[in-house]
């Protein structure tokens, strides 16, 4: 798929937000992947939770970032702080376990959202080994959004999800009542309830190290899915156990056996 912008359209400015806390082992590769981007009209906000290791020193050495450091109430509180400070037309997140999959990822996103018909875009994501980021573990291939998809266990990979800042202003940011699924709830709220327009980009945009808060234990995975089901109920999206779990489990299985495709 080739993404082209409408003739005469204006390239949007992007706010890229990196949330981190004691991330000295991984943040350098995150920053390197940002610095390698061919698209340069963006601001990069670092929202640090008060790191006590070398994280802030590594960020300072990299330069060209706006850094905010101090205690927060968790990752979604930190993300909300980033949204509140954003000045770009488009807002996206690349956290300290994440890297852009290639040096044209932001270019692809910016070109897609030059078309004002779309309020957001998202793509595919690859999970890689914590120890060896060159080794693929899971390939999360997304798809075009269809009404009712969240009831079937679907959602886009949040690290690839880029949204117009005006959408956050209109429909709100992360709901911190959800400690592990606020990102899913937000995308559900935007796509299912607000019916914002979206564009799926069938390319791998981000690679992400395994080991995040949700995936670190079975109890957290169960808790996240409990929160997702609660969010579905809150938004009036009726769901059956079979209709939710069967496609979700099939999709997860496919992620482990799917091979990386060329962008």
């Amino acid at each position: 798929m080739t993404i082209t912008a409408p003739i005469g359209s204006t390239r949007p400015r992007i706010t890229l937000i990196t949330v981190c806390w004691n991330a000295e082992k991984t943040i350098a590769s995150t920053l390197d992947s940002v610095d390698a981007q061919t698209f340069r009209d963006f601001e990069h906000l670092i929202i640090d939770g008060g790191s006590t290791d070398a994280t802030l020193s590594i960020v300072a050495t990299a330069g060209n970032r706006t850094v905010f450091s101090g205690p927060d109430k968790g990752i979604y509180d930190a993300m909300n702080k980033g949204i509140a400070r954003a000045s770009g037309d488009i807002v996206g997140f690349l956290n300290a376990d994440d890297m852009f999959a290639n040096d044209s990822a932001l270019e692809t996103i910016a070109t897609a959202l030059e078309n004002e018909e779309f309020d957001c875009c998202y793509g595919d994501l690859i999970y890689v080994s914590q120890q060896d980021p060159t080794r693929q573990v899971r390939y999360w291939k997304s798809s075009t959004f269809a009404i009712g998809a969240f009831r079937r266990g679907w959602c886009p990979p949040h690290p690839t999800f880029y949204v117009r800042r005006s959408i956050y202003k209109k429909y709100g940011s992360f709901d911190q009542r959800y400690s592990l699924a606020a990102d899913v709830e937000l995308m559900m709220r935007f796509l299912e309830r607000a019916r914002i327009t979206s564009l799926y980009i069938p390319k791998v945009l981000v690679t992400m190290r395994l080991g995040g808060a949700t995936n670190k234990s079975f109890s957290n995975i169960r808790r996240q899915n409990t929160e997702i089901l609660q969010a579905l109920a809150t938004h009036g999206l009726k769901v059956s156990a079979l209709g939710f779990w069967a496609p979700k489990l099939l999709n997860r299985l496919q992620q482990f056996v799917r091979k990386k495709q060329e962008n």
Side-chain angles (χ1 to χ4, degrees):
M1 176 183 181
T2 301
I3 305 287
T4 57
I7 295 174
S9 59
T10 302
R11 186 67 62 96
R13 187 166 189 259
I14 294 175
T15 294
L16 181 63
I17 300 169
T18 295
V19 168
C20 59
W21 179 73
N22 286 351
E24 64 180 7
K25 294 181 179 179
T26 60
I27 196 164
S29 57
T30 301
L31 301 178
D32 287 345
S33 79
V34 173
D35 290 340
Q37 294 301 298
T38 57
F39 179 78
R40 302 309 304 169
D41 190 10
F42 66 89
E43 64 173 351
H44 191 188
L45 307 184
I46 307 293
I47 311 297
D48 177 76
S51 291
T52 55
D53 65 359
T55 297
L56 291 172
S57 297
I58 294 169
V59 172
T61 300
N64 295 321
R65 271 93 186 172
T66 303
V67 181
F68 301 92
S69 183
D72 57 51
K73 298 175 183 177
I75 188 170
Y76 297 118
D77 179 42
M79 287 179 168
N80 283 344
K81 289 180 178 180
I83 294 169
R85 290 170 168 84
S87 64
D89 305 297
I90 309 298
V91 177
F93 293 88
L94 189 78
N95 293 328
D97 283 332
D98 306 342
M99 298 156 286
F100 285 118
N102 54 60
D103 60 10
S104 61
L106 276 184
E107 186 79 41
T108 299
I109 292 162
T111 300
L113 292 180
E114 279 186 58
N115 189 337
E116 295 186 0
E117 174 186 350
F118 300 110
D119 297 316
C120 71
C121 69
Y122 57 90
D124 299 339
L125 177 144
I126 286 181
Y127 287 96
V128 297
S129 165
Q130 183 73 232
Q131 294 73 31
D132 179 8
T134 65
R135 183 170 71 85
Q136 174 183 321
V137 179
R138 291 168 55 185
Y139 178 13
W140 185 345
K141 185 171 181 60
S142 195
S143 59
T144 299
F145 170 69
I147 300 299
F150 281 84
R151 295 190 292 121
R152 298 187 291 276
W154 178 93
C155 75
H158 183 253
T160 74
F161 191 68
Y162 282 70
V163 190
R164 297 192 188 280
R165 186 160 56 96
S166 59
I167 296 297
Y168 284 107
K169 287 184 175 180
K170 187 172 183 179
Y171 299 112
S173 52
F174 294 96
D175 187 337
Q176 295 177 64
R177 292 176 297 177
Y178 301 93
S179 60
L180 290 173
D183 52 349
V184 180
E185 187 280 330
L186 179 136
M187 294 185 289
M188 182 190 304
R189 188 183 347 133
F190 286 1
L191 293 167
E192 293 277 14
R193 291 300 305 276
R195 302 288 173 87
I196 70 171
T197 55
S198 62
L199 175 67
Y200 165 53
I201 301 170
K203 294 184 176 184
V204 178
L205 299 177
V206 173
T207 62
M208 177 179 181
R209 287 181 174 88
L210 281 174
T214 301
N215 294 309
K216 67 172 54 175
S217 70
F218 177 76
S219 63
N220 277 11
I221 293 172
R222 181 175 60 185
R223 185 171 150 203
Q224 185 204 42
N225 281 289
T226 298
E227 291 185 2
I228 292 171
L229 290 169
Q230 290 172 345
L232 285 163
T234 296
H235 292 302
L237 301 170
K238 296 181 179 180
V239 60
S240 69
L242 181 62
F244 178 81
W245 285 109
K248 182 162 190 170
L249 292 173
L250 176 60
N251 179 267
R252 293 301 179 272
L253 176 62
Q254 291 172 334
Q255 288 181 19
F256 283 98
V257 300
R258 182 179 288 119
K259 300 299 182 183
K260 183 181 183 300
Q261 298 174 352
E262 294 299 322
N263 285 338

